Amino acid sequence: MYSVYKFDVHSRILTPVINQAAETRMILHVTIDNRTYPIDIPKDVLDDGETFYQKMDRDMDKGWQMCREYVPNPNFEQRCQIAADRLLTSLHKENKHTLLLMAGYILNRLPGVTRVNIDSTGNMQETRFYYEDQ
């Protein structure tokens, strides 16, 4: 069994969520190596993260090395694959703040996405996104 977490932007504390109303949270289900982690991103992280997300977009506007391929102008899905790769790194390093920001970026930039299957073999272009109706 897994836990759902809530991140408090001001105190930067990650806490388990029990019986919280669905309207106050956005959940991204992250699957890595056949194990799924539901990441609860509070709406205020999405709202407060926009400045950070815009900076990420400006950085990616310059192009990005995606494994062996250099992509001069990543599209929305590629940008979210990059964010998912950073989310994977954040999970391994137990950096909960960055983990939530990356999950928030994905939810913000791919409206309707509910799940991401992150490739952990080193090929971020194999990361897949799934939507409400899939």
Side-chain angles (χ1 to χ4, degrees), residues 2-3 28-38 115-116:
Y2 47 79
S3 300
L28 180 64
H29 296 273
V30 176
T31 302
I32 303 163
D33 297 329
N34 296 320
R35 186 162 182 193
T36 300
Y37 306 87
R115 184 169 59 94
V116 58

Side-chain angles (χ1 to χ4, degrees), residues 11-73:
S11 66
R12 293 188 174 189
I13 295 175
L14 191 69
T15 56
V17 174
I18 301 170
N19 298 328
Q20 184 176 358
E23 303 85 41
T24 62
R25 65 186 200 213
M26 300 273 299
I27 296 177
L28 180 64
H29 296 273
V30 176
T31 302
I32 303 163
D33 297 329
N34 296 320
R35 186 162 182 193
T36 300
Y37 306 87
I39 308 297
D40 180 15
I41 304 97
K43 185 173 177 355
D44 55 342
V45 169
L46 295 170
D47 295 341
D48 295 345
E50 184 57 35
T51 301
F52 179 75
Y53 302 153
Q54 288 173 6
K55 182 184 180 322
M56 285 179 61
D57 284 332
R58 285 191 304 275
D59 289 344
M60 288 186 268
D61 285 343
K62 300 171 189 169
W64 203 269
Q65 187 74 37
M66 295 184 73
C67 303
R68 295 183 182 145
E69 180 182 351
Y70 178 78
V71 180
N73 188 18

Side-chain angles (χ1 to χ4, degrees), residues 88-130:
L88 177 63
T89 301
S90 300
L91 186 64
H92 287 162
K93 292 185 175 183
E94 298 182 13
N95 184 336
K96 295 171 182 152
H97 180 67
T98 302
L99 181 141
L100 289 172
L101 283 171
M102 294 302 109
Y105 180 90
I106 293 166
L107 288 172
N108 188 282
R109 297 307 195 249
L110 293 177
V113 72
T114 57
R115 184 169 59 94
V116 58
N117 188 349
I118 299 177
D119 180 83
S120 63
T121 65
N123 187 359
M124 70 176 80
Q125 292 176 319
E126 292 299 318
T127 292
R128 298 289 176 248
F129 301 96
Y130 299 90

